[in-house]
Amino acid sequence: MTILIIEDEEKLVKILEAGLKEERYAVDTALDGEQGLKKALSNEYSLIILDIMLPKKDGFAVCKELRDHQIQTPIIMLTARERVEDRVTGLNAGADDYIMKPFGLEELFARIRAVLRRRKTADSDIWKIADIIMDKNKHEVTRAGVSVPLTPKEYRILDTLMTNKGQAITKRRLIDEVWGPGFKESNNELNVHVAYLRRKIDGERAQPLIHTVRGVGYLLKE
Ligand code: CA
């Protein structure tokens, strides 16, 4: 979990960085809005702490540009100004939460945890890749609008692949996710379930979504 801090008060950056590292987050920093925007556009962060009053580009503009680029990383805005309008402007620009300076580190940590938790539940409802839709609340999968009935193991395999779409997942990891960590399940058993899953998901389609990565495991991609 890496958090990006975009803040121009170096003293505050140092305090935040030390505090977050103690909470076992990895931390990256930017001292002005332009640099912060550049970093947030080119790296993956779990969360961004974004000051409003920044040199070169203010926090509202940074936030808005990120959202315009479809970057959905959670953002907590910081401000010294005690103005209600700022809160509204910040939230309108796409921020997830807002914290007023001066604040205690414990308060910030609590906000960070809350935002990450909220994001997780909001994100985890419905997953989509190509024309597959997985509704995690209902435990339902459809492909091109047609319901695909899956066994619990097939569902968990697909769930793991969808949650990590575009990444090769090792067989060991899939076995851990589906049968439980450390379970002595053989690759053969897994391969059989994947074969069934493939038949149901990809069937005879010309462009399959489930791919074998030789010597590694499986990958779901368009
Ligand atoms: Ca500032």
Side-chain angles (χ1 to χ4, degrees), residues 6-9 12 31 51-55 78-80 101:
I6 310 177
E7 162 66 78
D8 58 317
E9 285 171 54
L12 179 58
L31 293 172
D51 190 31
I52 290 178
M53 302 283 271
L54 286 170
L78 307 180
T79 186
K101 290 178 184 173

Side-chain angles (χ1 to χ4, degrees), residues 12-196:
L12 179 58
V13 172
K14 290 230 162 68
I15 293 170
L16 292 177
E17 192 176 2
L20 288 167
K21 281 184 173 164
E22 217 158 278
E23 292 288 295
R24 304 221 218 123
Y25 295 106
V27 176
D28 197 1
T29 60
L31 293 172
D32 66 63
E34 265 175 23
Q35 193 199 12
L37 180 64
K38 216 167 133 195
K39 284 195 170 184
L41 286 174
S42 46
N43 304 308
E44 280 280 336
Y45 296 104
S46 307
L47 185 133
I48 298 168
I49 296 172
L50 175 62
D51 190 31
I52 290 178
M53 302 283 271
L54 286 170
K56 296 191 183 167
K57 200 180 269 289
D58 73 23
F60 297 131
V62 172
C63 185
K64 195 177 171 303
E65 280 187 50
L66 286 175
R67 296 308 186 226
D68 287 347
H69 280 88
Q70 305 304 323
I71 306 279
Q72 299 304 335
T73 311
I75 294 175
I76 297 178
M77 290 194 126
L78 307 180
T79 186
R81 291 186 292 182
E82 295 182 8
R83 287 171 33 188
V84 183
E85 306 95 273
D86 279 355
R87 188 189 162 99
V88 175
T89 312
L91 296 178
N92 279 341
D96 292 77
D97 204 354
Y98 188 98
I99 192 165
M100 205 93 81
K101 290 178 184 173
F103 53 85
L105 281 179
E106 283 310 319
E107 189 188 354
L108 178 67
F109 298 154
R111 298 287 185 99
I112 289 173
R113 285 191 294 267
V115 165
L116 291 176
R117 205 163 46 230
R118 212 152 65 215
R119 270 310 179 95
K120 219 172 158 190
T121 42
D123 281 351
S124 60
D125 291 341
I126 292 179
W127 287 76
K128 194 171 176 297
I129 174 168
D131 55 358
I132 302 181
I133 294 172
M134 177 177 249
D135 184 330
K136 295 197 181 188
N137 282 332
K138 297 188 194 156
H139 259 245
E140 271 177 11
V141 175
T142 59
R143 173 126 205 218
V146 180
S147 170
V148 182
L150 297 178
T151 65
K153 286 198 173 65
E154 290 161 1
Y155 182 90
R156 290 223 284 281
I157 293 168
L158 182 65
D159 186 359
T160 306
L161 292 174
M162 283 199 80
T163 311
N164 300 282
K165 65 179 176 186
Q167 295 172 41
I169 305 298
T170 62
K171 293 189 176 180
R172 182 67 249 169
R173 167 131 182 242
L174 279 168
I175 291 169
D176 285 349
E177 296 278 351
V178 175
W179 280 270
F183 203 87
K184 297 267 177 298
E185 204 52 61
S186 69
N187 282 353
N188 278 347
E189 185 90 2
L190 173 70
N191 294 345
V192 168
H193 288 280
V194 171
Y196 282 125

